[in-house]
Amino acid sequence: MPTNNQLISKEQQLATIRKSIDLPMPKKEAEAFLVDTLKKATTLPKLNTKFTDTPAGKLQRLKVKSRQIREHTGTEEPTGTGSISTPEVPYAVKKVFWDEWLKDDDVWYNDTARGDDVETKTIDLVQGQFGVDMQDLLFNGDTTAKSADGTTPDPFLSVLDGFVKKMKASTLKTDLGTNEPTIDDFVNHVLLLDEKYLNMTDLTWIMPRRTYQKLVALIQKRQTALGDVTLVNGKLTEIAGYPIEVVQSLQTGFVALTPLSNLVPVFTRDLRYKRTADGATAAIKDATYHILFGYADAAVLEPEAVAWMTGSKL
């Protein structure tokens, strides 16, 4: 049975998260909070996130044509060659939120058992789940997604169109249908991309965990290594010379080869964290209610820099 001192200590520490908060964060702090939040995901920290102060706009890209060097004769006019362009990619963020009731006893026993600060670890928990869910949404979101009944919009996926849907705008596609994937399918798929993308240092395979495990099994069954894949300590690190990014929660039946810099998460610096322990509901639940608001979108800069695969057995 807890002693009086233990009960007092518990109440004192829980008091820190029972304080109601409605905190619109200043822009600098909001960006820092988002950076820390996205670090909780597996793939989002590797992407070039764009932070903005406007909910809708265009992302500018700088493109330079190749083979623009000419012989100098001294008679040229300084007119340039018109080789530089700045195509724009539109974005429009959607307001999203994560909310949950956290029971006081769960928070107390989970955090104090490790000697952690209750409020710090609670906010860390909120950030962690928000980051994981945000990665899921930014990759798999589809505004046409339906719930199990086939008619009601899916409350999660239908929020916005994610990277996968936007990458499918590329015409560079390998359709495996109902066939099992092979290593040769992946090696041949590389040839769909233009040479300029094949030379990009961050060109990467993006795939779900299930596909990755299938490929590892295929390689382990080979009689000899052919040099088109790389296994290091039983882990598959490359296919056809390009690294692999296994995206947590990525939908099955989809694989893409594209530069990681081609995928840009967009967030505004508008962020609000609210917490309350007031009211009859909080009292009967013996819990605090937490809600985090943000604004996000997913942008694919160059669909032509994406070669994607589809198949029911990927």
Side-chain angles (χ1 to χ4, degrees), residues 54-301:
T54 55
K58 295 182 178 180
L59 303 179
Q60 286 195 340
R61 299 181 288 128
L62 184 65
K63 297 188 68 175
V64 183
K65 294 179 183 177
S66 59
R67 295 190 172 183
Q68 298 301 306
I69 294 177
R70 296 156 291 158
E71 181 184 4
H72 184 266
T73 64
T75 62
E76 291 78 15
E77 293 293 330
T79 57
T81 60
S83 64
I84 297 178
S85 60
T86 55
E88 297 177 325
V89 178
Y91 72 86
V93 299
K94 295 291 184 68
K95 186 177 183 179
V96 298
F97 74 96
W98 179 93
D99 70 328
E100 192 55 84
W101 285 97
L102 298 183
K103 294 182 179 179
D104 287 354
D105 284 344
D106 291 343
V107 171
W108 167 253
Y109 291 118
N110 182 59
D111 293 342
T112 58
R114 301 187 303 238
D116 294 328
D117 173 77
V118 171
E119 184 170 31
T120 298
K121 295 305 296 184
T122 300
I123 293 176
D124 188 64
L125 171 66
V126 173
Q127 282 184 304
Q129 195 56 53
F130 187 80
V132 169
D133 284 357
M134 184 56 68
Q135 176 170 296
D136 189 349
L137 178 61
L138 287 176
F139 273 91
N140 300 314
D142 183 347
T143 52
T144 65
K146 297 293 187 290
S147 298
D149 60 14
T151 56
T152 308
D154 186 288
F156 177 74
L157 293 175
S158 66
V159 172
L160 55 82
D161 286 331
F163 293 129
V164 170
K165 184 173 181 179
K166 292 180 178 179
M167 282 192 282
K168 287 181 177 180
S170 170
T171 59
L172 306 178
K173 175 183 177 183
T174 296
D175 190 348
L176 300 179
T178 59
N179 297 324
E180 287 285 354
T182 67
I183 298 300
D184 286 343
D185 288 329
F186 284 78
V187 174
N188 294 332
H189 182 73
V190 171
L191 302 178
L192 294 179
L193 280 175
D194 188 278
E195 183 74 19
K196 63 182 176 181
Y197 300 119
L198 296 179
N199 293 323
M200 294 186 69
T201 58
D202 65 337
L203 187 62
T204 304
W205 293 100
I206 294 171
M207 64 181 64
R209 174 65 59 181
R210 187 179 81 164
T211 302
Y212 173 84
Q213 298 291 18
K214 278 194 171 189
L215 293 174
V216 171
L218 282 174
I219 296 162
Q220 290 174 338
K221 291 177 182 176
R222 278 184 166 188
Q223 295 294 327
T224 58
L226 299 181
D228 49 17
V229 293
T230 304
L231 276 177
V232 178
N233 297 324
K235 294 183 178 180
L236 180 60
T237 59
E238 291 184 351
I239 301 177
Y242 299 106
I244 297 166
E245 178 66 26
V246 178
V247 180
Q248 181 182 355
S249 301
L250 184 66
Q251 59 188 259
T252 58
F254 176 87
V255 170
L257 181 63
T258 191
L260 287 182
S261 56
N262 196 30
L263 309 181
V264 180
V266 182
F267 293 91
T268 66
R269 297 183 182 90
D270 296 310
L271 194 69
R272 191 163 85 251
Y273 172 54
K274 299 180 72 173
R275 181 179 72 209
T276 184
D278 297 333
T281 303
I284 195 65
K285 286 180 175 287
D286 195 24
T288 51
Y289 178 68
H290 301 254
I291 186 167
L292 181 64
F293 294 97
Y295 299 80
D297 194 13
V300 174
L301 299 182

Side-chain angles (χ1 to χ4, degrees), residues 28-39:
K28 184 177 180 180
E29 285 74 10
E31 181 172 331
F33 188 90
L34 279 168
V35 169
D36 288 342
T37 299
L38 299 183
K39 287 179 181 178

